[in-house]
Amino acid sequence: MLAPRRLHQQLVLIMGALLVLVIAVFGAYTAQSQSDAAAASAQELVNTHASNLASASADLILTDSLDVLEELLRRSANFNSIVDILVVSPDGQTLGHVRHDAHTKPVVLYDPLSSRTLPPVSSGHTQTFDEAKSHMVAWQAIQVNKVIGWVRVTQNVQDLIDQQQRIWRSIWVAMAVAVLASTTLLMLFLRRPMSLLDKARQFSMDMVESPGIQIELAGPYELRQLYKGLNESSMLRRQQQLLLDKNISDLQRHEAKLAEQNEQLSAISSLSPDGLVTFCQDDRVQFVNAAFSALTGLRGQQLVGHPRSELDLMLKDLADDETPFAGLDACFADPIEGQTVTAQTLHRQSSPPMALTLRGMFSQAQTVSRVLYVCDVTQQHRLDQMKSEFLQMAAHELRTPMASILGFTELMLTRDMSPVKQKELLGRVYRQSQSMAEILNELLDLARIESRRGQDFNLAQTDLADVVQAVIAGFQPPEGRDPPLVSPAPGPMLALVDEGKAQRAVLNVLSNAYKYSPNGGPVTVRYVVPDAVDGRQSIGVVIEDHGLGLSPEHLARMGERFFRADKSGHIPGTGLGISIVQEIMALMGGRMQVDSTLGQGTTVTLWFS
């Protein structure tokens, strides 16, 4: 599309070219017509002149009056336009020759006796035009029953040529004046339309930045129609702009929402402790999150793009030989048969061993065909195992006194006994009942401590020397044993503890020190205050005995519920005391340290913060 300025210039150029073409054609036609008329007049004049000379020369040639002939020729050449007159015989001999130059009188020429070129015709007349010499030549036969000679008249036609040139100059001047005038008039005529076109062009540019603007209808009918079309285009563009802005706004909201959802999904996928694997429609691994790699040790680069069958083989290679993995097919339900999905357990060979559950689901999405979820159930398996062991040990510990109680009561019911014997049996039943009550109380205490997780602890700054003194004051050593030897505290032993729970911990350790030193020996209690670590001060209460001691194997199991180093049954106890001590110390921010040598004794240090 041409810009208005270029259109303006092209209109002027086209109109000027058309005007030049019209004037040139018309001028050429006029010049040619006038030239043809002048040429015809000149030809007629020279022919007439030659014909008259031929008629006048006939008698003179017949009478051989050549002097008179020359005089006739000289008078006939006394015209401005006559340049040369020649009379020759039929054989080409010159009979008379006169030349007339400009501004001089005609001169008779005496040609040598030589043959001249005769005209191309044998009779009549002919004309030739020499444009280079500006001459017109006419030949006329001199006839008296036969051709007795020829007359050649040469006429100067320079005036005719000059006239033609003047005509062409007039034409060129007329063309220049016409072009200049028409260009000026066209420029003046196109000034307003071009101004309106410029206005339309500027409006079309402004419409891009400000859709919906309107332009006032003005100018000729065609421009008013153009303005009307531009106004409609502006309104249409405004509507399209509003619709586009709305679509862009909706798209931005959808993109923001999608980005938020993707961020949430990415966060869930990356932060979730559960593994996640998705498969595309051709049953190849599409996505693997970090948790799956951490649980299985299989990196996403190994899996993405590979068939599900390869992942199945990799998972089977991870399984424990004793409990092989059922495979991925067992993890997915058959949507046709409607099977119920059951989670499959993978016992992974690792250190420590891990238990993983894998559950598969089918997806109706276009890009995801299946989803595999992997959960770490190692802790649950350990808890289930510990629960089973705990129930087994609790049942075993309760069955022993219960068997004794049932046996003694059965004897008392089925046999006649003396009062002394009955009293002895009742004493045994009472002691076994006390043992059962002690086991149940300690189980309840341990369960209460674990369930409340220290919520019922009343922590306060307490002097550990007072805690130890209160325990010693209420403690009854076994018969024949000396009370524990307590070293004096070097100063205030302040720690953040629950006083009652701290006394319980010290009492349990002190009781074990006497139980596991049945052969006697002193039991000592002292305090340890090491240097502060990272600005945190710890205070240790050390309880030491010189009893049986512990082997490294038994020392590693210290704190297990119902674990007792003595398997003989001669040392009373439930095997829960040290477990209770560990729970209490952990909930108060402390810890228990056990050092022991088999046959030499055991040292237990309770560290309080």
Side-chain angles (χ1 to χ4, degrees), residues 165-229:
Q165 292 177 352
R166 286 194 298 272
I167 292 173
W168 277 111
R169 282 196 296 269
S170 299
I171 292 173
W172 284 112
V173 171
M175 283 193 297
V177 173
V179 169
L180 180 60
S182 62
T183 301
T184 303
L185 292 176
L186 188 59
M187 293 280 288
L188 294 175
F189 174 76
L190 291 177
R191 177 178 297 177
R192 176 167 172 76
M194 296 308 298
S195 175
L196 295 175
L197 285 177
D198 285 340
K199 184 178 179 181
R201 180 180 61 85
Q202 185 62 40
F203 174 78
S204 64
M205 296 175 61
D206 295 340
M207 184 175 61
V208 176
E209 300 295 333
S210 304
I213 60 175
Q214 298 291 293
I215 186 173
E216 182 182 359
L217 301 181
Y221 173 79
E222 291 79 4
L223 288 177
R224 292 171 65 88
Q225 291 299 110
L226 175 62
Y227 285 1
K228 184 178 179 181

Side-chain angles (χ1 to χ4, degrees), residues 96-371:
H97 189 191
V98 176
R99 178 167 293 172
H100 180 203
D101 293 331
H103 310 296
T104 63
K105 294 180 179 182
V107 178
V108 178
L109 298 179
Y110 298 97
D111 297 332
L113 296 176
S114 60
S115 178
R116 289 188 176 272
T117 302
L118 296 178
V121 295
S122 59
S123 64
H125 66 272
T126 183
Q127 300 92 19
T128 60
F129 179 68
D130 189 350
E131 185 177 2
K133 297 181 179 180
S134 304
H135 293 163
M136 181 178 290
V137 179
W139 289 88
Q140 180 64 46
I142 304 172
Q143 295 182 359
V144 179
N145 296 325
K146 65 175 182 178
V147 176
I148 61 174
W150 286 91
V151 175
R152 186 192 71 181
V153 179
T154 304
Q155 183 177 351
N156 188 351
V157 293
Q158 184 63 43
D159 293 340
L160 178 60
I161 296 174
D162 292 342
Q163 182 182 3
Q164 290 178 342
Q165 292 177 352
R166 286 194 298 272
I167 292 173
W168 277 111
R169 282 196 296 269
S170 299
I171 292 173
W172 284 112
V173 171
M175 283 193 297
V177 173
V179 169
L180 180 60
S182 62
T183 301
T184 303
L185 292 176
L186 188 59
M187 293 280 288
L188 294 175
F189 174 76
L190 291 177
R191 177 178 297 177
R192 176 167 172 76
M194 296 308 298
S195 175
L196 295 175
L197 285 177
D198 285 340
K199 184 178 179 181
R201 180 180 61 85
Q202 185 62 40
F203 174 78
S204 64
M205 296 175 61
D206 295 340
M207 184 175 61
V208 176
E209 300 295 333
S210 304
I213 60 175
Q214 298 291 293
I215 186 173
E216 182 182 359
L217 301 181
Y221 173 79
E222 291 79 4
L223 288 177
R224 292 171 65 88
Q225 291 299 110
L226 175 62
Y227 285 1
K228 184 178 179 181
L230 289 175
N231 287 337
E232 293 176 354
S233 299
S234 178
M235 292 303 299
L236 179 61
R237 192 179 186 285
R238 174 61 177 171
Q239 295 174 359
Q240 293 175 345
Q241 184 67 40
L242 292 175
L243 181 61
L244 181 62
D245 291 342
K246 181 178 180 300
N247 292 338
I248 291 176
S249 179
D250 293 341
L251 181 61
Q252 289 175 345
R253 286 198 299 270
H254 289 316
E255 287 180 348
K257 186 176 181 180
L258 183 61
E260 182 181 359
Q261 291 177 350
N262 289 337
E263 186 178 357
Q264 292 175 355
L265 291 176
S266 177
I268 292 173
S269 174
S270 60
L271 298 178
S272 173
D274 298 333
L276 178 67
V277 180
T278 61
F279 300 87
C280 55
Q281 294 297 335
D282 58 355
D283 219 17
R284 292 180 176 273
V285 178
Q286 185 182 51
F287 171 77
V288 177
N289 71 341
F292 180 86
S293 299
L295 293 175
T296 62
L298 301 176
R299 298 185 177 275
Q301 295 86 339
Q302 299 176 254
L303 304 177
V304 174
H306 291 267
R308 180 167 57 92
S309 57
E310 292 188 14
L311 175 60
D312 186 42
L313 294 176
M314 293 180 183
L315 292 176
K316 288 181 179 179
D317 291 341
L318 296 177
D320 189 357
D321 295 336
E322 298 180 358
T323 53
F325 178 54
L328 290 179
D329 289 337
C331 300
F332 291 93
D334 189 346
I336 298 177
E337 299 180 2
Q339 298 178 355
T340 303
V341 180
T342 56
Q344 301 297 320
T345 302
L346 170 64
H347 295 276
R348 180 187 170 191
Q349 296 180 6
S350 59
S351 181
M354 296 179 65
L356 308 175
T357 58
L358 290 82
R359 184 186 302 272
M361 294 184 65
F362 287 92
S363 171
Q364 300 300 324
Q366 294 183 352
T367 57
V368 179
S369 61
R370 303 172 185 240
V371 180

Side-chain angles (χ1 to χ4, degrees), residues 37 60 75 86 97 110 169 185 188 195 357 362 377 397-398 409 434 489 494 517 536 597:
L60 296 176
R75 289 197 304 266
L86 174 67
H97 189 191
Y110 298 97
R169 282 196 296 269
L185 292 176
L188 294 175
S195 175
T357 58
F362 287 92
V377 293
E397 294 297 329
L398 290 173
T409 54
Q434 281 185 323
L494 297 178
S517 57
R536 185 176 179 181
T597 303

Side-chain angles (χ1 to χ4, degrees), residues 47-62 69 72 87 140-144 148-151:
N47 288 336
T48 301
H49 204 64
S51 178
N52 292 336
L53 283 175
S55 299
S57 300
D59 293 338
L60 296 176
I61 292 174
L62 290 176
L69 178 62
L72 175 63
V87 177
Q140 180 64 46
I142 304 172
Q143 295 182 359
V144 179
I148 61 174
W150 286 91
V151 175

Side-chain angles (χ1 to χ4, degrees), residues 524-542:
T524 61
V525 179
R526 67 180 188 275
Y527 303 97
V528 180
V529 184
D531 295 334
V533 178
D534 295 332
R536 185 176 179 181
Q537 183 66 57
S538 296
I539 300 175
V541 176
V542 182

